[in-house]
Amino acid sequence: MTNATPRPLRLDALAYGGDYNPDQWPEEVWHEDVRLMREAGVNLVSLPVFSWPQLEVSPGEYDWAWLDRVIEVLWAGGIRIDLATATATPPAWLVRSHPEMLPWDADGRRLEFGSRQAYCPSSPVWREHVARMARAMAERYGEHPAVVLWHVSNEYGDHVARCWCPESAAHFRRWLEEHYRDLDGLNEAWGVNVWGQRYTAWEQVEPPRRATGPVNPTQLLDFERFSSDALLELFRIEVDVLRDVTPDLPVTTNFMSLFRELDYWRFAEIEDLVTDDAYPDPADPHAHVPAALNYGLMRSLKGGRPWLLLEQAASAVSWRAVNVPKAPGRMRVDSLQAIAHGSDGAMFFQWRQARYGQEKFHSAMLGHRGEQSRTFRETAAFGRELQRLAAVKGARVRSRVALVVDWDSWWGSSATESLPSQRLGWLAQARAWHGALHALGHAVDAVRASGPFDGYDLVLVPNLYVTDDAQAAALEAFAASGGTVVVGPFSGVVDPTEKVHPGGAPGPLRGLLGVEVDEPWPVPDGAAEQVELAGDRIDAPVWTEWVEVADEASVVARYATGVLAGRPAVTRRAHGAGGGWYVSAVLADEGLVAIMRRVLDDAGLPARARIDRDLEAVTRADAETDYTFVLNHGAHEIVVDVPEDAEDLLGGGDRTTGRLVLAPLGVVVLATPRAAEPPFITLSETTD
């Protein structure tokens, strides 16, 4: 079911808190936790995510008493609850009673119990039990006034996103039969006349396990679609139960940013609130740039509605090869970045740092040293500061630029070995294109390739390997009405069944772009070709293409080296009141910035004359006020020009008339009357 009218999260302030695991601690600690939560400004916690075996100690034997007491302690302290259905992982008794529900890998090996997500998403046993547990939780706690949000499962697909067991195989066959109706339809879609793969009975079809050589690419793409759908079905089972028992409570499941394994457009359709778990690496000085793209997706999944950062780290995580802590001030700027991009709060994993288990070295709001821990001092100070931003709650991000996020193209361009190059990555392209717009001063939303594109001046399509006629028509209509579309390499290549479009790329995008791609020309490892733009040379590692200008397209840049020297590399074609650009190469970062600067000018949008990738500015707005977040993610001071009449809600910068000095990791939030266009923040030209 599509949730057309999302139920709101009943919280009268920005959410602040984290995952709470009281079953890891003696009861006397709970009261101390609530005292410290109140001191830190916590108003929302998530529990009991992994507590199924503590709640149902054996089949049908429940122990609710401890959770009853925890909920009452929290409620008495004024803390609301994001209540998990506790179905994130099965209890040992269920696995041992039904070992057939354990997942298999692509080599046919059954994965053992001993971590989390030890289940096959297609298992009817597992589905029956999660529905039963969700109903038990809803019937017991659904009317408790402390419960304001349902938290279904946890991070779907994090450990088991694909299963190759016999039950998954049977489910895959049923999925294929629903999509193709009969074997003739399947055989036609899969192009089985290549390598003699024709099927004469459904029982002959298996998931794409490890094979003797490259597997049919359409089979691989369909298995990606099926696997995402299998987890979506699992999610729907619990959502349907919760809506039946507690129709007024909002429902969520926590996403994992730009996550390849699941089509989040489809998941977001059936939940009320988009929530995200975000862990930018403190060791990466530019981690805030891909984080901004992740957040652009989160706010866009439900048409620009506010979302919620449900997990982040107060300092170090526990799962990287080297787990670098967050420097003082980094947690604050990371949290404010998410809020700038539309999150109505900042939550953490977790509240109290564990003493044992796999996550005992994962940081928490309350570290191992308790009140003396640095993380507690910083998170408590931030919790108090967050109250100054209450007016921002519910405001929406203002953006004129959107980037197409398409899971079919992501899967199709990465699932198979049978590609011109394994080096052209969908995610790398998306991040690079977004990074150029970020450097030039723009917050970027996400959109489906089919739109809608209302409210945007510019739509970026870094890669649309799988393209259908409806998507092409939507992009053409947007350009015809005055929009600017920029399409990246290896787009319009195949249809949804992985068949190359007649005439080759860019297939149905040909009318928009006015070019023909004669042949992809990938660049060998360690080499780079060059593109010439207005006398400057731009490196083109990874990928180039032999392009023919076919229909009144103008050449913006040409290849300068190699076999393609002199041939078109970047083109633009007028289309109605707008235009379609084609960038046929993977360009180095500085080259992308140069191209996108021209694109912004073509779209009538501003661009920063000078760039500093540590500077970020994002505006959220309600009907009366623009709230412009100006963030310095770097280790050096930044000076920017700002509106003279702005009210600084945080007092985080040294401001003179129209000029703001931001310290390293500094943030200000500037409130101004809502204008036709939000403030565009640039580096100051003033040097004194």
Side-chain angles (χ1 to χ4, degrees), residues 69-88:
R69 295 195 299 276
V70 169
I71 289 175
E72 290 304 323
V73 168
L74 290 165
W75 176 236
I79 312 293
R80 268 60 173 184
I81 298 170
D82 164 34
L83 192 66
T85 54
T87 55

Side-chain angles (χ1 to χ4, degrees), residues 461-467 487-494 501 504-507 509 513 517 545 582:
V461 190
N463 174 266
L464 198 62
Y465 169 70
V466 179
T467 312
V487 178
F490 210 44
S491 293
V493 180
V494 298
H501 285 291
L509 298 172
L513 302 175
V517 178
E545 292 175 349
Y582 187 59

Side-chain angles (χ1 to χ4, degrees), residues 593-612:
V593 168
I595 293 294
M596 293 304 171
R597 188 182 296 282
R598 291 191 169 212
V599 166
L600 287 169
D601 182 64
D602 184 44
L605 294 172
R608 290 177 184 152
R610 296 167 51 219
I611 66 171
D612 186 326

Side-chain angles (χ1 to χ4, degrees), residues 273-342:
L273 176 68
V274 170
T275 57
D276 189 38
D277 297 352
Y279 292 97
D281 188 353
D284 179 359
H286 300 300
H288 59 280
V289 182
L293 175 57
N294 297 337
Y295 302 153
L297 173 64
M298 293 303 126
R299 68 172 174 265
S300 302
L301 286 170
K302 294 194 81 68
R305 293 177 182 272
W307 55 285
L308 179 60
L309 176 63
L310 201 59
E311 285 189 25
Q312 63 172 324
S315 187
V317 300
S318 60
W319 39 264
R320 293 189 175 104
V322 178
N323 296 300
V324 175
K326 291 185 177 182
R330 175 62 63 189
M331 176 278 299
R332 176 180 180 269
V333 72
D334 284 354
S335 299
L336 287 170
Q337 183 191 23
I339 294 169
H341 281 278

